[in-house]
Amino acid sequence: MDNSVLVNENFSFLFEKDLLNEMATVARYKIVKKDEFLMDIGQEMTFMPLIISGAIKVFRTDNDGDDYILYFIEGGDTCAMTLNCCIKGAKSEIKAIAETDSELLLIPIHKLEDWLHFKSWRSFVFGSYNNRFSEMLEAVDSLAFMNMNARVLKYLKDKVLANKSEFLEITHNTISLELNTSRVVISRILKKLEIDNQIKLHRNQIEVINF
DNA sequence: TCATTAACACGGG
DNA sequence: CCCGTGTTAATGA
């Protein structure tokens, strides 16, 4: 599909015309499949991703190499760490994996600064930074203050939002890896949630009820 | 008390 | 048979 059509169809409600035109000339359209790596720790950022459709999950890796999920990024948004890295010219401190098949618009990283004279771009960048900051705080709260029970429930609800579906194709083991705990714990908590009528368990699938 | 690890049984594909 | 799931027992933080 033509770039300018793509940009206009998806972002005309966000950005002014001049910016949309510039975007069309430099953006690259990319499709990623579920579970595809977008970014790994230490990798240099060369672009910022604008998400047209789908969702991306973002992980932090600790010193032992264990991953913790931070948040999901959904359509019409971008990743805060890209904004950070652009300014510092640094390398990625996070890991990003496609949660679902997704369509992205890749913007060369230096454009982030070049476009700051556009009012709509400033709003978008700062707004997105704000969103990511809130979600980061939630992630900190989740790790520091919530018990595993609440963390699992938050994880499931965030995942429902990211996937736009109450039917989550996932195994207990995968959840335990993303939350960095053991499968025994996840199985027990999920069973309890099922008894409390919050979810229904199936093989390779969890249905979230009353969302 | 609650998480982890290992171990085992059950069942569906 | 292999894998996901449910559960228990032992151990530790």
Side-chain angles (χ1 to χ4, degrees), chain A residues 22-205:
Chain A
E22 278 208 42
M23 218 172 247
T25 64
V26 299
R28 193 159 69 81
Y29 177 65
K30 185 178 171 66
I31 295 179
V32 290
K33 291 287 177 192
K34 176 175 161 64
D35 294 330
E36 193 174 319
F37 264 73
L38 278 161
M39 185 61 61
D40 206 345
I41 305 271
Q43 204 174 323
E44 191 160 358
M45 300 272 199
T46 55
F47 59 84
M48 61 182 296
L50 303 190
I51 299 169
I52 295 171
S53 70
I56 308 298
K57 55 185 168 186
V58 176
F59 294 89
R60 178 77 178 133
T61 306
D62 70 14
N63 294 329
D64 298 331
D66 296 326
D67 294 331
Y68 299 79
I69 192 159
L70 286 179
Y71 46 72
F72 296 95
I73 313 171
E74 289 138 59
D77 218 332
T78 188
C79 177
M81 290 315 295
T82 330
L83 312 179
N84 249 347
C85 290
C86 161
I87 292 158
K88 291 193 302 185
K91 306 206 184 298
S92 174
E93 296 178 46
I94 53 93
K95 182 187 279 191
I97 300 173
E99 166 72 10
T100 65
D101 292 355
S102 305
E103 296 174 280
L104 308 176
L105 215 49
L106 304 185
I107 311 285
I109 200 82
H110 62 273
K111 288 294 169 191
L112 196 153
E113 270 187 276
D114 295 352
W115 288 344
L116 281 177
H117 66 277
F118 289 112
K119 185 171 187 301
S120 62
W121 183 249
R122 286 197 302 275
S123 305
F124 174 71
V125 168
F126 289 120
S128 171
Y129 202 93
N130 220 19
N131 287 341
R132 292 292 87 73
F133 188 74
S134 302
E135 280 169 313
M136 199 81 82
L137 281 185
E138 277 184 37
V140 171
D141 285 347
S142 165
L143 275 169
F145 307 124
M146 290 162 76
N147 56 27
M148 191 51 75
N149 208 311
R151 286 182 63 196
V152 171
L153 198 54
K154 170 170 162 52
Y155 171 85
L156 292 176
K157 294 193 167 182
D158 286 348
K159 203 174 175 67
V160 166
L161 289 176
N163 286 270
K164 301 192 194 326
S165 165
E166 278 115 65
F167 295 89
L168 306 173
E169 304 291 331
I170 188 143
T171 66
H172 299 184
N173 193 47
T174 307
I175 298 176
S176 74
L177 292 175
E178 304 209 330
L179 296 183
N180 227 275
T181 179
S182 64
R183 186 198 54 85
V184 180
V185 171
I186 298 298
S187 290
R188 175 167 42 77
I189 290 171
L190 288 176
K191 197 71 207 165
K192 190 160 181 296
L193 288 175
E194 184 179 43
I195 291 167
D196 292 346
N197 243 336
Q198 311 227 43
I199 61 174
K200 268 188 186 147
L201 297 175
H202 314 276
R203 191 183 173 84
N204 289 312
Q205 183 188 263

